[in-house]
Amino acid sequence: MDLIGQFPLFYFPDYGSAWMMGITGTIHILASHTSVGAAMLFAFLAYKAYKENRADLYPYMKKYGMFLLIFSYVIGSITGPGIWYTATAASPRGISALIHNFVWVWATEWVFFVYEVIGVFVLVYFIDKIDRKTHLKLTYTFALASVGTLALIIGIISFMMWPGTTAYYATGSASDAFFGLNTFPHMFLRIGFMIMLSGVIGLVISSAMKKENEELSIELSKKMGYVSILGGFITLFFFMWYMGTLPDNAHAVFNVTKDGVIQNRIILTLVFMVYFLVAVFKPKIINPAISSTMIVVILLAGLWPGEKLRESMRKPYVAGQYIYSNQIISRDVEGKGIKSELPIIAQKGLLKVNPFIPDNLRTISAENKLQVGELLTKMSCSNCHSLELTGVYRPLKDRLKGVDKEGVKSILYAIGSGAIPYMPKLQLPDDEYDAIAEYIASLKY
C-alpha cells in the first residue's frame, strides 16, 4: 500500500484548528511587537537622557521597562510556546517545513531573544546602579537584538506566504526561501507598527504619571503621540508596498482589489491618528483609562484583522506555496527531494494513502458512508472551515446554505479542477467526493 507522510487529524469544533493558532499568535504578536518597539524607544529616550542630562527621564524608562517585563516578556513567553503547540497540532507539516528550511535561522533568533530577556532585566534593575554611558550602550545593543529577532522571524513568516522566487523549488536553499519579494516590505511594515505600538504603550505610562509630575507627563504624552504618528505613517507606506508583492491567490481570497484593501487600512490608520493628534495637542485629556482602552481597540480593530488578513491571504497554502492548508503537498520541491502527493491521491484516494484512516473506513459502504464522509470532510476542510451549524470562523453553513448533494459535488469537482484559486486543488475518486457531498448535505445547512 502506498502511504503519504500525513499526521493524525487535529480537529477543533466550531472554530477550526488553524484559528486556535491564529488567536494565540495574535496575543503573542501584540506582546512581541510591543517589546521590539519599546526597545527602539528605550534607545531614543536613553540617548536623549544622556545627551541632555535629563535625569527625570530615567524613572519613566524604569516604569516602562517594568510594564515591558510583565506584559511582553511574561505574556510573550507563555504564548510563544503556545504558538508552537497549536501550530504543531493544527499544521504539523507546515511547522516541519519551516524547521527544515530555517533551523539555523531560528537558532540564531533564539540567541538574540536570550540576549533580549537578559537585557531587559539589566536595563530595568540596573538603571540606577550603572553609569549612564554604559546604560546607553546597553539600550543600543538591546534595540539591535530586538530588531535582529524581528528580521530573522520575518524572513520565515514571509516564506509562509510564498518564497517569492521559483529558484527555491529547484535549489531548496534557505537563502532563496528567506529573501522573498515581500520579506523587506513586510519587515518595515512590522517595524512601523511596532514604533506606533511603543507610543501607544508609552501613553499609558505617561498618563499615569500626572500626579507625580504633571509637566513631565504632558511632555512625554506629546512625544509618544509624535512617535505613534511616525509609526502609523511608516506602517501605511510599507503596507501599500507589501500588498504589491503578494501572489495572485492572496487577492483572490477576498475577491477585492488591492485598492480596496489599502483603502480600508488608510481609513483605519486615520482613525488612530485622531487619537495620536489628541495626545500631541491635548495631552491633558489622555488618562490611563483612555490609553488602556486604546490598546484593546488597536488589538481588536487593527492587529486581529491584520493577522486574519495575512493568514487568509496565504490560502490555499500554509507554507511555501507547496503545502496546502489541509497538509497535503501540492508541488515538487526538487531541492528538498519533495514530491507532490496530488497524483497518488487522485489515483487512489485519501482513504487508501493516509496512514491514520481506521481500517473499517478504508472502503466505503452503505453502512459507513456518512462516517467516511465526515472524516474526509474534516481531513480536507476543517483546517480552514468550521463544519458545525454553530461554526464561528469560515463556517461551511454560510457558503453551502440550501445546496443539495449534487450541488455540493459540483462545487467539489470545481475545486478539484482548480477553478477556485484560493482552495486546494484536491482531486479525489468519485466515491470519496460522493461520501463528502452526502455528509455535508446531511448537515442540512
Side-chain angles (χ1 to χ4, degrees):
M1 182 183 293
D2 294 309
L3 298 175
I4 60 176
Q6 279 283 19
F7 291 81
L9 173 69
F10 174 74
Y11 178 67
F12 200 98
D14 289 329
Y15 292 89
S17 53
W19 290 104
M20 293 299 98
M21 180 173 61
I23 292 168
T24 306
T26 300
I27 298 170
H28 176 74
I29 286 167
L30 180 66
S32 64
H33 281 24
T34 300
S35 69
V36 178
M40 292 185 283
L41 182 62
F42 260 51
F44 166 72
L45 291 174
Y47 173 80
K48 189 174 181 64
Y50 178 74
K51 289 297 183 182
E52 299 178 8
N53 196 26
R54 290 284 305 274
D56 57 333
L57 292 179
Y58 288 106
Y60 176 78
M61 292 175 63
K62 188 166 186 176
K63 290 184 180 192
Y64 200 130
M66 288 301 296
F67 180 89
L68 194 65
L69 269 174
I70 297 168
F71 182 74
S72 291
Y73 287 94
V74 173
I75 294 176
S77 296
I78 292 171
T79 53
I83 292 177
W84 279 97
Y85 175 79
T86 52
T88 302
S91 186
R93 281 186 143 183
I95 202 72
S96 174
L98 299 182
I99 292 170
H100 281 85
N101 279 290
F102 303 111
V103 62
W104 291 112
V105 176
W106 243 318
T108 306
E109 186 269 334
W110 285 339
V111 172
F112 282 117
F113 178 70
V114 169
Y115 186 88
E116 275 189 271
V117 174
I118 296 171
V120 73
F121 275 95
V122 171
L123 289 175
V124 172
Y125 288 105
F126 289 85
I127 195 168
D128 301 321
K129 299 178 176 62
I130 57 178
D131 66 273
R132 293 177 183 178
K133 189 172 184 179
T134 301
H135 187 267
L136 176 62
K137 291 178 180 178
L138 285 172
T139 61
Y140 286 164
T141 59
F142 179 57
L144 287 172
S146 295
V147 174
T149 60
L150 167 69
L152 293 169
I153 288 296
I154 287 302
I156 298 172
I157 296 175
S158 296
F159 172 78
M160 294 172 71
M161 179 68 71
W162 71 313
T165 171
T166 56
Y168 164 73
Y169 300 105
T171 65
S173 165
S175 60
D176 285 332
F178 189 89
F179 295 106
L181 289 179
N182 67 349
T183 299
F184 289 106
H186 189 188
M187 181 173 72
F188 290 114
L189 159 66
R190 297 264 179 182
I191 286 176
F193 183 77
M194 290 168 176
I195 292 171
M196 186 183 80
L197 199 56
S198 71
V200 172
I201 300 295
L203 282 167
V204 177
I205 312 299
S206 63
S207 64
M209 295 176 62
K210 284 181 181 178
K211 291 182 180 179
E212 301 172 27
N213 188 334
E214 185 175 11
E215 185 179 346
L216 181 63
S217 172
I218 290 172
E219 178 195 349
L220 290 171
S221 291
K222 286 183 177 182
K223 280 186 171 60
M224 293 305 109
Y226 283 122
V227 167
S228 298
I229 290 171
L230 173 64
F233 278 115
I234 293 173
T235 302
L236 188 60
F237 176 82
F238 284 103
F239 176 77
M240 290 188 285
W241 181 17
Y242 174 74
M243 290 298 293
T245 65
L246 297 173
D248 292 338
N249 63 287
H251 300 289
V253 169
F254 301 101
N255 254 344
V256 296
T257 64
K258 296 177 185 178
D259 293 337
V261 176
I262 292 173
Q263 184 180 30
N264 292 337
R265 294 282 105 180
I266 290 173
I267 292 171
L268 189 62
T269 302
L270 292 176
V271 170
F272 291 155
M273 287 298 169
V274 173
Y275 170 63
F276 304 146
L277 289 171
V278 170
V280 171
F281 294 106
K282 296 288 184 180
K284 289 185 178 181
I285 295 176
I286 308 297
N287 58 45
I290 292 173
S291 54
S292 299
T293 300
M294 281 305 298
I295 295 176
V296 178
V297 170
I298 288 174
L299 172 65
L300 297 179
L303 186 57
W304 172 242
E307 288 306 304
K308 282 174 64 180
L309 180 72
R310 183 178 63 82
E311 290 293 316
S312 298
M313 285 192 299
R314 285 207 311 265
K315 300 302 180 275
Y317 305 98
V318 73
Q321 291 215 339
Y322 69 93
I323 299 177
Y324 280 150
S325 51
N326 56 19
Q327 305 301 295
I328 292 169
I329 294 173
S330 63
R331 67 178 293 172
D332 295 347
V333 183
E334 294 178 9
K336 294 287 185 185
I338 294 171
K339 295 290 185 183
S340 170
E341 296 167 344
L342 295 181
I344 190 173
I345 291 173
Q347 179 188 0
K348 297 180 178 293
L350 277 173
L351 297 177
K352 296 293 191 294
V353 301
N354 188 304
F356 294 99
I357 299 292
D359 289 339
N360 64 318
L361 300 182
R362 287 198 182 275
T363 302
I364 301 173
S365 66
E367 291 75 22
N368 69 10
K369 192 172 187 178
L370 279 179
Q371 191 178 0
V372 170
E374 179 181 7
L375 178 60
L376 288 171
T377 304
K378 288 179 178 177
M379 289 167 55
S380 304
C381 311
S382 67
N383 200 267
C384 292
H385 299 283
S386 52
L387 311 182
E388 293 76 15
L389 292 171
T390 53
V392 177
Y393 293 120
R394 291 206 195 103
L396 284 183
K397 64 181 174 66
D398 289 352
R399 290 157 173 79
L400 299 176
K401 188 174 182 179
V403 180
D404 61 11
K405 177 182 174 181
E406 293 306 312
V408 174
K409 281 186 74 172
S410 66
I411 293 172
L412 293 175
Y413 281 119
I415 293 170
S417 68
I420 305 177
Y422 52 84
M423 297 283 283
K425 187 180 177 181
L426 180 60
Q427 294 181 339
L428 298 174
D430 189 69
D431 60 341
E432 293 191 3
Y433 275 147
D434 192 69
I436 292 173
E438 186 157 324
Y439 167 70
I440 291 176
S442 74
L443 298 176
K444 301 188 185 303
Y445 293 143

